[in-house]
Amino acid sequence: MGRMQRREFMKMAGLAGAAVAFSGVPSAMAADEAAEQKAKVDATIKQITGGKEPGKGGLELKAPTIAENGAVVPVTIQPKGIVPGRLFLIVDENPIPLILDVKVSPKYSGDGAISSRIRMRKTSTVRAYAFDSKGSLYGDFKTVKVTIGGCG
């Protein structure tokens, strides 16, 4: 009697597992997670820019196209002909998208660049924004493919 119950239990568990695997529940959960992450990124961008569209030029984001190790991805934000007052860096797929917020003193601004090494969870768009001393917004972005994730 004990063997029959165990076998029946294993059959039922197998059928239940197959039903969950083929029901689309995991893909629905992934879609919900992606929508939640996009909403988080959109809210961060709106908080930073106030809904303004960034102007062309004025800023260049340098980052590798392919990063083998997501734990140390080198990035450089290079102002081009503007005097930046504040710089931001956003990684769309990171748990906390805003990873850099720098206020630049006019004393040290100019054509200087800001470089850092950042962590990236997976392949993502990296966005740089800068407000110049007059309050104009500039932006640049680049997609960085990460081979091995660096967050967790």
Side-chain angles (χ1 to χ4, degrees), residues 77-97:
I77 302 171
Q78 176 72 55
K80 296 284 185 182
I82 66 168
V83 178
R86 197 161 178 188
L87 299 165
F88 300 94
L89 194 63
I90 295 172
V91 177
D92 286 11
E93 295 296 333
N94 273 13
I96 300 172

Side-chain angles (χ1 to χ4, degrees), residues 3-32:
R3 285 188 178 173
M4 287 299 287
Q5 288 178 346
R6 190 176 339 169
R7 284 185 183 174
E8 289 298 320
F9 173 76
M10 294 303 285
K11 283 182 185 176
M12 296 302 287
L15 289 173
V20 169
F22 296 111
S23 69
V25 171
S27 64
M29 289 173 55
D32 289 345

